[in-house]
């Protein structure tokens, strides 16, 4: 059972990491279609790094970097640090998990696998927190009656990618940590058993 859990963790971790990478890079953390005062075929979206305008008749969005005052606003800097930190921590944790699993030369290094599992769960939780904070800000602005109609953005696609990727990373971390706990019990029992020697 521990080996199955280990394999699940190794399979889920890169899938979650790719989702988080896409959520971080794409400029769709908040979106607004049919913005008052603008043509109806334009849609607006903001990300951590860029702000984009997309027209139905145009093949792709026209993006520009976020304004300096928005980029320097401390919550935006914290969000950027949290998402990039989560990606780096997830990549490090996956590397440790592969080294610990030692699929090419068993047995696994259970302490290294457990450490990788904890780091993966932490990376996923960090991204979940960042996405939840952004969602809270967007919903807070929507609920505020003083928010101008042109600024009533909705939850963007990247938030859902971030939640999916963060949850997948946490699940991968739990799988790796669970494989460590199960294998540690089996290893302890095997070590305590006396050796049988044929004469």
């Amino acid at each position: 059972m521990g080996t199955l859990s280990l394999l699940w963790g190794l399979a889920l971790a890169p899938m979650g990491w790719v989702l988080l990478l896409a959520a971080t890079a794409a400029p769709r953390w908040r979106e607004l279609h049919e913005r008052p005062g603008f043509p109806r075929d334009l849609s607006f979206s903001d990300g951590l790094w860029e702000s984009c305008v997309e027209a139905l008749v145009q093949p792709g969005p026209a993006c520009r970097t976020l304004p300096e005052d928005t980029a320097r606003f401390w919550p935006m800097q914290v969000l950027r640090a949290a998402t990039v930190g989560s990606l780096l921590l997830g990549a490090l944790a996956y590397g440790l998990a592969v080294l610990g699993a030692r699929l090419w030369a068993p047995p696994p290094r259970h302490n290294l696998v457990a450490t990788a599992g904890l780091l993966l769960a932490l990376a996923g939780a960090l991204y979940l927190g960042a996405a939840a904070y952004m969602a809270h800000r967007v919903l807070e602005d929507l609920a505020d009656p003083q928010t101008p109609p042109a600024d009533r953005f909705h939850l963007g696609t990247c938030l859902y990618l971030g939640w999916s990727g963060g949850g997948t990373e946490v699940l991968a971390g739990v799988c790796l940590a669970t494989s460590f706990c199960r294998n540690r019990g089996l290893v302890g029992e095997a070590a305590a058993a006396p050796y049988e020697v044929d004469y």
Side-chain angles (χ1 to χ4, degrees):
M1 192 68 172
T3 303
L4 183 61
S5 185
L6 174 64
L7 293 176
W8 268 109
L10 291 175
L12 288 172
M15 291 171 23
W17 192 85
V18 168
L19 288 172
L20 296 184
L21 180 63
T24 305
R28 294 197 173 273
W29 280 59
R30 59 180 199 156
E31 300 174 341
L32 181 58
H33 305 285
E34 298 184 7
R35 193 174 193 177
F38 292 88
R40 298 189 60 158
D41 66 335
L42 291 181
S43 63
F44 298 81
S45 60
D46 291 335
L48 297 177
W49 319 99
E50 294 179 316
S51 182
C52 296
V53 180
E54 188 170 7
L56 294 177
V57 295
Q58 215 172 351
C63 299
R64 60 180 173 80
T65 57
L66 289 176
E68 194 68 24
D69 56 341
T70 303
R72 288 192 174 182
F73 191 45
W74 71 264
M76 182 58 71
Q77 294 196 2
V78 170
L79 283 174
R80 287 177 172 181
T83 54
V84 172
S86 174
L87 285 171
L88 294 175
L89 189 60
L92 172 66
Y94 187 68
L96 290 177
V98 170
L99 287 175
R102 290 173 52 93
L103 297 176
W104 60 90
R109 297 177 181 165
H110 300 298
N111 290 339
L112 200 54
V113 171
T115 303
L118 292 175
L119 290 178
L120 268 175
L122 179 61
L126 186 61
Y127 210 102
L128 287 173
Y133 174 77
M134 177 59 93
H136 169 72
R137 292 291 301 268
V138 171
L139 294 176
E140 194 176 47
D141 288 343
L142 271 176
D144 187 356
Q146 296 184 352
T147 303
D151 292 333
R152 291 184 170 276
F153 283 82
H154 298 276
L155 301 180
T157 310
C158 288
L159 291 178
Y160 298 103
L161 286 177
W163 285 324
S164 301
T168 305
E169 291 283 86
V170 170
L171 182 59
V174 169
C175 286
L176 292 175
T178 305
S179 74
F180 163 74
C181 294
R182 289 177 179 155
N183 279 322
R184 187 176 180 192
L186 292 173
V187 168
E189 291 171 9
Y195 290 103
E196 294 182 6
V197 180
D198 293 331
Y199 293 101

